[in-house]
Amino acid sequence: MREVILLKLGEIALKGLNRRSFEEIMMKSIRRRLVSAGEFSVTSRQSTIYVEPLNDSADMDMAEERCAKVFGAVGYTRAGAAEKELAKIQESAEAYLREELELADTFKVECKRSDKKFPLKSPEIAAGVGAYLLEKYPHLRVDVHEPDVTVWVEVREEHAFVHADARPGAGGIPVGCGGKAAVLISGGLDSPVAAWTMAKRGVELTAIHFSSPPYTSELAHDKVVRLLRKVSEYSGRIKLITVELTRLQEEIRDRCPEELGTVILRRYMLRAAQAIAREEGCLALITGESLGQVASQTIQAIACTDAVVSMPVFRPLIGSDKAEIVKTARRIDTYDISIEPYEDCCTIFTPKHPRTKPNLEMVERGEGAIDGETLLRKALEDVKTMYVNAYENAGR
């Protein structure tokens, strides 16, 4: 039996005249990530993306795993394709779902008939398939409320499809629909989750990482690459730009008021990120800050850091607590990497008693003790760039 993957569109279906452009971006993303899984046809009809293998060598398991992480789909399922005759639909339902039906005690049949020219109505199709399955599996009984297995029949233009319940998709909207932004990425829990959250809203990501050798190691940089690789399973390829801030951090440590050190460093990080973002065509910055989580994430401290940039700074986790962030990190499989004990530049030289309620005048006065602009300019002249992609040969 020919097998396909059906991806059910979510909010894309509500986009009106722009809907087709959203679908095209989503289908392009699917095609890229399926390159190494084999040859597939990817088309869109009736609020559904069809992913159909073109030959027997196509890896359906790999295709399913990758389609599950495509933003834009509210649900997905593998389905068997049947000819549009009741007898063929009955036979296909029994054959395709045999394993599930043999293990179940109860079932029900649901039918959607989008092809209104098909002679039988949805209740008639469901009744006919249900009667056939009861005959084939005498141990089964019908339970319309909480069945062990739901047999779905979808009668569409060219074929009827049979499948079990759809699984939850990645949701959101396709990456590329929401513009481009630069995310400040560290090796902690928060920034990878923030990156994933904004990618879910269609934002194409450029990542900026700050290093401070010899205080930070190559292991810390490798950790960031592995985190971004996990995010890229959903977002697609991410450009990673690494900026070395060792000299600037040493100057802040030695010359600036200790209690303001973290806020002053954050201001220079945002300055650097904005300069890079503009060169990369990004329209906003993204950080993983959560209000009140640490001293540099109070309203007063955030106001002082934002004062040095003119582009929007998105903080998708600003109202999240740590438990919520950890839950998402586990979902996207970044948690175990994030808790590895490799320090990044945000955690070295941390003040013993940071000021939680700085004001702008105080911070600017403390910042005046160093020639930060010169140090930052030199740092930006020698950035390192690489691309991170979870899928080989997937391109952009």
Side-chain angles (χ1 to χ4, degrees):
M1 185 187 308
R2 190 165 64 90
E3 190 176 31
V4 304
I5 299 172
L6 305 177
L7 290 93
K8 310 292 185 176
L9 299 183
E11 61 184 279
I12 295 177
L14 306 176
K15 295 301 181 182
L17 296 177
N18 294 322
R19 172 175 165 173
R20 187 59 189 174
S21 63
F22 281 75
E23 291 177 351
E24 290 291 346
I25 291 172
M26 183 176 173
M27 289 190 291
K28 186 177 180 180
S29 174
I30 294 170
R31 293 185 188 107
R32 283 198 300 264
R33 63 183 62 206
L34 293 186
V35 168
S36 57
E39 296 184 24
F40 290 84
S41 166
V42 182
T43 56
S44 173
R45 299 187 297 277
Q46 295 178 319
S47 298
T48 302
I49 302 293
Y50 293 71
V51 178
E52 304 176 64
L54 297 180
N55 52 55
D56 292 339
S57 65
D59 190 331
M60 287 293 286
D61 291 336
M62 182 185 293
E64 179 185 6
E65 179 186 353
R66 296 184 177 184
C67 285
K69 296 176 180 178
V70 176
F71 288 129
V74 70
Y76 71 95
T77 185
R78 284 165 71 158
E83 294 181 35
K84 288 165 59 176
E85 299 176 11
L86 181 59
K88 297 293 186 181
I89 295 171
Q90 291 170 328
E91 293 169 3
S92 296
E94 188 275 327
Y96 190 70
L97 297 173
R98 180 175 298 143
E99 184 175 331
E100 291 90 335
L101 292 168
E102 287 177 345
L103 296 174
D105 293 321
T106 61
F107 83 110
K108 72 172 179 178
V109 181
E110 295 278 2
C111 180
K112 293 183 178 179
R113 183 185 63 126
S114 55
D115 179 6
K116 302 305 180 184
K117 295 180 181 179
F118 191 74
L120 299 177
K121 295 182 179 179
S122 295
E124 295 170 317
I125 300 169
V129 173
Y132 183 85
L133 294 177
L134 283 171
E135 182 179 339
K136 290 290 183 178
Y137 299 96
H139 73 282
L140 285 176
R141 59 185 176 84
V142 175
D143 183 344
V144 298
H145 299 294
E146 295 183 355
D148 296 330
V149 175
T150 299
V151 177
W152 286 91
V153 179
E154 299 187 44
V155 182
R156 293 175 173 262
E157 310 97 318
E158 297 179 3
H159 297 90
F161 296 97
V162 295
H163 58 83
D165 282 328
R167 298 179 181 180
I173 58 177
V175 172
C177 298
K180 190 175 180 181
V183 57
L184 281 68
I185 191 82
S186 73
L189 279 164
D190 304 336
S191 57
V193 173
W196 177 86
T197 302
M198 293 307 300
K200 186 177 181 180
R201 298 311 306 160
V203 174
E204 181 182 346
L205 300 173
T206 293
I208 302 172
H209 175 62
F210 297 98
S211 67
S212 296
Y215 306 104
T216 60
S217 68
E218 279 300 314
L219 289 173
H221 186 269
D222 176 67
K223 179 182 178 182
V224 168
V225 172
R226 287 184 288 128
L227 286 169
L228 287 177
R229 191 167 288 123
K230 290 293 185 181
V231 175
S232 74
E233 292 179 11
Y234 296 86
S235 69
R237 188 178 74 165
I238 301 172
K239 185 175 184 179
L240 170 61
I241 299 170
T242 302
V243 185
E244 185 179 311
L245 290 184
T246 307
R247 187 73 184 106
L248 177 60
Q249 284 196 265
E250 289 175 335
E251 284 288 292
I252 293 173
R253 177 197 61 188
D254 296 339
R255 298 177 181 276
C256 297
E258 182 188 9
E259 70 273 13
L260 298 176
T262 302
V263 173
I264 291 172
L265 174 63
R266 294 289 296 176
R267 281 162 61 88
Y268 280 108
M269 286 180 170
L270 284 191
R271 288 184 176 106
Q274 178 171 259
I276 293 170
R278 285 175 173 162
E279 289 184 1
E280 296 296 319
C282 299
L283 300 178
L285 303 177
I286 303 165
T287 77
E289 291 162 303
S290 172
L291 188 63
Q293 186 167 244
V294 294
S296 64
Q297 295 176 22
T298 63
I299 287 180
Q300 294 88 344
I302 289 173
C304 289
T305 57
D306 280 7
V308 299
V309 294
S310 57
M311 63 173 50
V313 181
F314 295 146
R315 294 178 170 89
L317 309 184
I318 196 68
S320 301
D321 60 31
K322 185 58 74 174
E324 293 168 325
I325 296 168
V326 166
K327 182 179 179 180
T328 303
R330 291 187 185 279
R331 174 186 172 185
I332 64 176
D333 201 23
T334 57
Y335 177 81
D336 289 338
I337 302 173
S338 290
I339 63 174
E340 292 177 1
Y342 304 124
E343 289 191 326
D344 55 46
C345 70
C346 294
T347 55
I348 63 173
F349 307 150
T350 302
K352 292 182 179 179
H353 303 289
R355 186 176 287 272
T356 58
K357 297 180 180 180
N359 62 61
L360 188 56
E361 181 181 354
M362 175 195 307
V363 173
E364 288 176 341
R365 187 166 58 247
E367 205 175 65
I370 62 172
D371 184 7
E373 292 298 331
T374 298
L375 293 169
L376 188 62
R377 185 170 61 253
K378 290 180 178 178
L380 291 174
E381 289 172 354
D382 192 28
V383 301
K384 294 179 174 62
T385 300
M386 65 178 293
Y387 289 92
V388 181
N389 199 337
Y391 305 127
E392 295 180 6
N393 304 317
R396 296 191 65 182

